[in-house]
Amino acid sequence: MAVARSLKLRNGLFAVGRGTRFHPSPFSRARGLSVSASTSGGDGGGGGGGGGAPLPVLIVGAGPVGLVLSILLTKLGVECAIVEKSKTFSSHPQAHFINNRTMEVFRKINGLAEEIQKYQPPVDLWRKFIYCSSLTGSVLGTVDHMQPQDFEKVVSPVSVAHFSQYKLTRLLVEHLKKLNFQIREADNSEGLDCEAPRAREILMGHECISIDTTSNRCVTATVSHIEGGKCKERKFRCSTLVGTDGAGSSVRRLLGISLRGEKDLQKLVSVHFLSKDLGQHLLRERPGMLYFIFNTEAIGVLVAHDLEQGEFVLQMPFYPPQQNVQDFEPKICEKIIFKLVGRELVDIDVIGVKPWVMHAEVAEKFLTCNNRVIIAGDAAHRFPPAGGFGMNTGIQDAHNLAWKLASVLKGISPSSFLHTYEAERKPIAIFNTTLSVQNFKAAMAVPAALGLDPAVANSVHRVVSDGFSSILPSEVQKAILDGAFSLGRAQLSTFLLNENNPLGSSRLAKLKRIFDEGKSLQLQFPAEDLGFRYLDGALIPDVDSTSIPLLRPTGRRRDYIPSADPGSRLPHMNVRLWSYSGKEEKMSTLDLVCGDKIEFVLIIAPIEDSYNLARAAFKVAEEFGVSARVCVVWPVEASNAFGEGSKVALAPWKNYLDVQEVKNPSISSSSSWWELCRMTDRGVILVRPDEHIAWRAKSEIIGDPMLEMRKAFSAVLGVKLKAV
C-alpha cells in the first residue's frame, strides 16, 4: 500500500500529513493551490479517474517557452497540449532581445528565424544605448553594441534580433496552427473531454490549481476556468507535466520548490505607450534601443520596441507602500513622459501600466515527483532583464528538454535520464543569474557617476518605511520621499552638470571612462551566449585536461572562442553539401543536425578508421532505437568527386552526408574544420539532437569501434550497457 504525503498551499503555507488526503471545498480549491505526491511504489489511488491513455505531456503556461516546447515536442512526434490561465495572449512587449543561440534554435522551427529577421526593425535603428538629459536635450553618452564581426556570421549562421515578446508569441502561435493546434477559450467547452485535453490544443483561461502524483500511472492536474459566470474544474491526466508558467509559477509553488538567490533587487513600473510623434523624432535625431534619461524632474529608462510604429515601454523606479499603482494612472504617466521627452507629444496613448519586482533567483530543483513534473523558463529562474537572459535561457531550457522528454516517452531512455536536464540547465541558469546581476550593477554605475547612487535612494526609502511608517500618515511619508528624491535629482541640473563646474566636469569625465572601458550596461555576451558548456549530464567528458576552461562571468562583452569540448554547442562553419544529383548547397555545420527526430550526428574525416567507426555507429544506433547520421567533412582542396569514397566505404548505409569546407572570404587565414575544433582529422565528434557535443575522440579512435559506440550511446542516453 502506498504511503502518500499530501501538501497543500494555502496563503503561502504548507500543511503536511502522512497517509491522508486533503479534500478542500470547491471554493477553496478554486482560490487556493494544492499538491499531493507519492513517496513509495504502487498506485496511490489518484490519477484523475476516467478511461483512456493520459496525454503524454501537459504544458502549463503559454508564454514563449511553453509554445516553443510544444513545437519542438510535436516535431519529435510527442503529443502535447497547453493550459494558460490568461484568457488572451499578452500584448505587453516584455522581452525583446533574442540572442544568437536562441536564433539558432529558431532556425530549426520552419523558418521562424527568417520571419523574425524580416519583421524586426533594421539593426541601425536599435544597435545603440543612448544616455541623455531628455529625448530632446543633451546627450551624455552613446554606446554602440554591434561590432563588425556581429554582421559577418563567422561564429553563427544567424544574427541577434530585436523583436518584442508579444510579436514572437504571435509567430509561435501561427506555427502551432500549422501543426494543427487549436486555440480554445474557456467558455467554449464543446467537445472537451472532462478528463483530458485533446492533443494539440491550447486552452486559454484555464488555471492549474492542484497537481496530484499519487498514481504511478499518470499526473493529474486540476484546472479551473470560468464558464457561464461560474467557476468550474476539470481533471487533466498526463504522463508528464511541464510548468512554463512564468516567474510567479503556480506549478513551482504547488510543488513547494523554493528559489535561491537575491530577492527584490528593484521595484519598477512598466508603462506601455504609443507615440508616432516620438518615434519619428527619434528616428530622425537619435535612433536606439534603450534611452537612459536623467533630469531634475524625472528619471527613467525608455525601451524603443519599434521606432517606426512608435511603440515604447518606460521603466521607472517604484517605491511602495508610499507609492502605489494609482500614482501612475495614464494621465500622470503622460506628464512624466513629457518631462522625459522634453516636450509634449501630440499623439501619446498609454496602453497599460504594470508594476513588477526584479529578482535574481534559481529554483532549488527543476524536476520532481519521480521526474514526472518539470519546470522550465522563468518558472525555474528569475533574472534581472539586463542582457536579455530571461527569455533566451528559457527557450534554451525547452530546446534541451524536448529531445530528452521525447527519448523517455518513446521508451528509448529511462525516466532517470531526465535528471540530465537539471544537471545541465541549472548550472547555466546560475551562471546567467550572476552575469545578469553584474550587468545590472553596471547599469547602476551610470547614475552613480552622475551623483545619483541607487543604493542611497533605496536607503532613503528604507529609512522612511522603517522609521516613520508607524508614526506618520502615508501622505506625509510620500511627501518626505518625494522631497528627498527631488533633492537627489538636483544633482542633474545644468548649473552643476557641465564642463565649467569642477564637480560636474569630474562626473562627466567619470561617465566617459565608464563608456569607453565597456563598464556600462551591455547588450551582447557572445562568449556566454554561444560558448556555454555542459559539464555533467548527457555527455562523456574528455579524460584529458586540455579543454578550454570555463571563465567566470564578468559582466563585460567577451568574444566567443569555438570549442568542440563535450557539452559545448557544435561550432559553426559554412560547408558545401555534395550530392550525386550534382546540386551543391552551402549550409552551416549546425544544419547537419535534424530537428524532426531523435538523431545523433557523427562527424568524421574521410579516413578508414573513421569510416569503420561510422559503420559501427549506424549499427549501434539501431540497437538503441535512435537514428544516426554520418557527416564526412572533406578539406577545401578535395576534388569534386570526393563523395564516391564515402559511398563505397559506408555501403549499405545511406544516411550520410559528404560536405566540403568553405573558406570564409572575410577571414584571410580561416582554419580548417578540425583546426577550428582544436582536433586532428583522425578524431571524431558525436553530436546530440540539440546540437551539443555528446562525445568525441580528439586525435584517434582507440579500441573496438562497436564497443566504443556502445559505450558512447549508453552513457549519453542514460541506458545501462548490456553485456554482449
Side-chain angles (χ1 to χ4, degrees):
M1 180 177 179
V3 178
R5 60 183 173 90
S6 296
L7 305 177
K8 179 180 176 186
L9 180 61
R10 184 81 61 79
N11 298 324
L13 300 175
F14 280 101
V16 183
R18 295 184 65 83
T20 185
R21 288 213 184 174
F22 289 98
H23 295 282
S25 68
F27 177 79
S28 66
R29 290 177 64 186
R31 297 290 301 274
L33 301 167
S34 61
V35 62
S36 56
S38 173
T39 57
S40 67
D43 187 351
L55 183 73
V57 180
L58 178 65
I59 298 170
V60 179
V65 176
L67 297 175
V68 168
L69 179 61
S70 63
I71 292 172
L72 296 176
L73 287 173
T74 302
K75 286 167 67 69
L76 290 170
V78 175
E79 297 290 5
C80 59
I82 307 173
V83 294
E84 166 58 46
K85 68 179 181 180
S86 298
K87 293 183 178 181
T88 59
F89 293 105
S90 174
S91 60
H92 198 85
Q94 296 177 281
H96 57 95
F97 179 67
I98 306 176
N99 67 20
N100 252 149
R101 185 61 187 134
T102 299
M103 286 294 283
E104 289 177 352
V105 173
F106 288 166
R107 288 179 76 243
K108 297 298 178 72
I109 301 181
N110 302 331
L112 177 59
E114 289 78 5
E115 288 181 281
I116 292 169
Q117 289 176 318
K118 176 182 176 182
Y119 295 122
Q120 72 166 344
V123 67
D124 285 341
L125 302 185
W126 55 264
R127 61 191 291 173
K128 295 178 181 179
F129 290 177
I130 297 170
Y131 299 78
C132 55
S133 61
S134 74
L135 296 177
T136 56
S138 60
V139 173
L140 301 170
T142 301
V143 180
D144 188 343
H145 292 281
M146 300 298 288
Q147 297 182 6
Q149 61 265 36
D150 298 327
F151 301 100
E152 293 168 356
K153 298 184 179 179
V154 174
V155 298
S156 176
V158 66
S159 299
V160 299
H162 173 44
F163 198 65
S164 300
Q165 181 173 318
Y166 78 93
K167 296 179 182 178
L168 173 62
T169 297
R170 289 175 184 173
L171 290 183
L172 291 171
V173 170
E174 289 303 312
H175 279 267
L176 284 166
K177 288 179 179 178
K178 292 175 183 177
L179 293 172
N180 297 320
F181 272 72
Q182 294 184 343
I183 300 173
R184 189 186 293 272
E185 298 177 355
D187 56 359
N188 178 16
S189 60
E190 182 181 352
L192 182 63
D193 187 337
C194 65
E195 294 298 337
R198 292 184 298 202
R200 307 198 187 196
E201 281 192 327
I202 304 175
L203 303 180
M204 305 300 293
H206 285 68
E207 181 177 6
C208 179
I209 60 172
S210 73
I211 301 170
D212 183 353
T213 61
T214 53
S215 167
N216 281 342
R217 294 174 298 178
C218 63
V219 176
T220 301
T222 302
V223 177
S224 70
H225 68 286
I226 303 298
E227 184 176 329
K230 296 181 180 179
C231 182
K232 295 189 176 182
E233 295 178 6
R234 296 189 179 96
K235 294 184 181 296
F236 292 163
R237 299 164 60 247
C238 59
S239 297
T240 305
L241 184 145
V242 183
T244 60
D245 50 340
S249 171
S250 294
V251 172
R252 185 186 65 236
R253 289 185 289 130
L254 285 168
L255 299 171
I257 298 176
S258 62
L259 294 163
R260 305 287 172 83
E262 298 181 66
K263 291 182 182 292
D264 296 350
L265 288 173
Q266 191 175 23
K267 294 181 176 68
L268 300 109
V269 167
S270 176
V271 183
H272 180 203
F273 71 96
L274 303 176
S275 173
K276 285 201 172 184
D277 179 10
L278 179 57
Q280 291 304 307
H281 165 73
L282 294 175
L283 280 172
R284 291 191 306 268
E285 302 295 331
R286 52 183 77 165
M289 176 191 283
L290 296 186
Y291 299 83
F292 300 81
I293 311 162
F294 307 95
N295 63 49
T296 57
E297 295 188 281
I299 293 172
V301 179
L302 186 72
V303 185
H305 282 265
D306 193 326
L307 288 176
E308 291 183 338
Q309 297 299 316
E311 183 172 30
F312 302 92
V313 170
L314 173 64
Q315 304 284 4
M316 295 181 289
F318 180 44
Y319 296 96
Q322 290 79 19
Q323 294 179 341
N324 54 57
V325 179
Q326 285 69 39
D327 294 327
F328 297 92
E329 56 187 29
K331 285 299 179 183
I332 296 175
C333 288
E334 287 181 13
K335 293 178 181 179
I336 297 173
I337 292 166
F338 295 161
K339 292 174 182 178
L340 294 169
V341 173
R343 66 171 174 84
E344 293 191 1
L345 301 170
V346 299
D347 62 348
I348 188 168
D349 181 11
V350 175
I351 304 298
V353 178
K354 180 180 179 183
W356 62 284
V357 183
M358 187 187 300
H359 304 286
E361 299 176 298
V362 177
E364 62 177 348
K365 54 186 175 182
F366 286 16
L367 66 165
T368 187
C369 303
N370 296 324
N371 312 319
R372 291 183 293 166
V373 184
I374 305 167
I375 56 175
D378 287 353
H381 38 71
R382 310 194 294 192
F383 305 151
F389 285 100
M391 182 181 71
N392 288 293
T393 304
I395 288 169
Q396 291 159 32
D397 288 345
H399 191 225
N400 181 285
L401 177 61
W403 75 273
K404 295 176 179 179
L405 198 48
S407 296
V408 171
L409 292 172
K410 288 175 178 288
I412 297 168
S413 298
S415 171
S416 59
F417 179 56
L418 291 174
H419 281 290
T420 65
Y421 162 67
E422 180 177 311
E424 293 179 354
R425 294 306 301 170
K426 185 178 177 182
I428 300 302
I430 293 171
F431 185 96
N432 287 349
T433 302
T434 303
L435 183 56
S436 60
V437 168
Q438 290 178 341
N439 203 26
F440 169 67
K441 290 178 179 178
M444 296 299 100
V446 171
L450 295 172
L452 292 171
D453 191 340
V456 174
N458 291 333
S459 297
V460 170
H461 180 235
R462 280 195 299 271
V463 168
V464 173
S465 298
D466 298 340
F468 302 122
S469 60
S470 61
I471 59 176
L472 293 177
S474 58
E475 294 82 1
V476 177
Q477 294 178 48
K478 185 176 186 301
I480 293 173
L481 198 64
D482 290 344
F485 291 163
S486 295
L487 287 174
R489 291 196 300 271
Q491 304 288 321
L492 303 170
S493 68
T494 55
F495 170 77
L496 182 62
L497 199 62
N498 68 79
E499 295 290 351
N500 296 322
N501 184 301
L503 180 58
S505 177
S506 172
R507 288 176 173 175
L508 291 173
K510 184 177 181 180
L511 189 63
K512 185 176 185 302
R513 286 195 301 272
I514 289 173
F515 295 146
D516 291 345
E517 296 172 8
K519 294 182 179 179
S520 61
L521 179 71
Q522 298 297 298
L523 178 64
Q524 288 208 68
F525 295 88
E528 291 79 9
D529 173 7
L530 298 175
F532 68 87
R533 174 160 55 101
Y534 304 135
L535 300 180
D536 182 34
L539 55 93
I540 304 175
D542 281 342
V543 294
D544 60 38
S545 58
T546 59
S547 296
I548 299 173
L550 291 177
L551 300 175
R552 294 178 62 84
T554 65
R556 302 192 197 177
R557 174 170 175 146
R558 294 186 296 209
D559 290 334
Y560 161 71
I561 300 173
S563 170
D565 290 343
S568 299
R569 157 246 192 215
L570 181 69
H572 156 72
M573 173 184 271
N574 284 324
V575 292
R576 181 170 63 91
L577 175 63
W578 187 89
S579 69
Y580 295 102
S581 65
K583 181 181 178 182
E584 295 182 357
E585 178 184 351
K586 191 170 79 169
M587 63 192 301
S588 167
T589 47
L590 295 170
D591 296 326
L592 303 174
V593 182
C594 174
D596 296 340
K597 55 184 172 180
I598 302 172
E599 182 174 81
F600 289 78
V601 175
L602 187 73
I603 302 177
I604 65 172
I607 295 172
E608 183 177 356
D609 286 347
S610 299
Y611 279 129
N612 290 338
L613 190 76
R615 290 192 294 270
F618 281 128
K619 295 176 183 177
V620 172
E622 283 190 347
E623 293 176 9
F624 282 84
V626 296
S627 176
R629 171 186 282 184
V630 171
C631 173
V632 186
V633 180
W634 295 76
V636 173
E637 58 271 15
S639 67
N640 288 334
F642 59 77
E644 291 294 334
S646 296
K647 183 177 182 180
V648 174
L650 296 176
W653 309 99
K654 298 184 183 297
N655 193 19
Y656 68 90
L657 297 173
D658 283 296
V659 301
Q660 186 176 24
E661 300 167 350
V662 174
K663 286 286 185 180
N664 191 322
S666 63
I667 302 177
S668 57
S669 58
S670 56
S671 303
S672 72
W673 168 250
W674 300 106
E675 290 170 339
L676 180 73
C677 294
R678 291 174 172 76
M679 297 170 58
T680 74
D681 64 356
R682 303 193 70 82
V684 297
I685 299 172
L686 183 66
V687 188
R688 307 186 325 192
D690 63 353
E691 301 164 1
H692 281 258
I693 295 170
W695 167 81
R696 71 170 175 180
K698 290 182 68 174
S699 57
E700 61 179 330
I701 302 157
I702 301 174
D704 175 61
M706 288 292 291
L707 181 58
E708 290 300 311
M709 294 315 306
R710 284 195 181 102
K711 286 180 179 178
F713 277 96
S714 171
V716 173
L717 289 169
V719 179
K720 290 184 179 180
L721 186 61
K722 297 179 181 179
V724 178

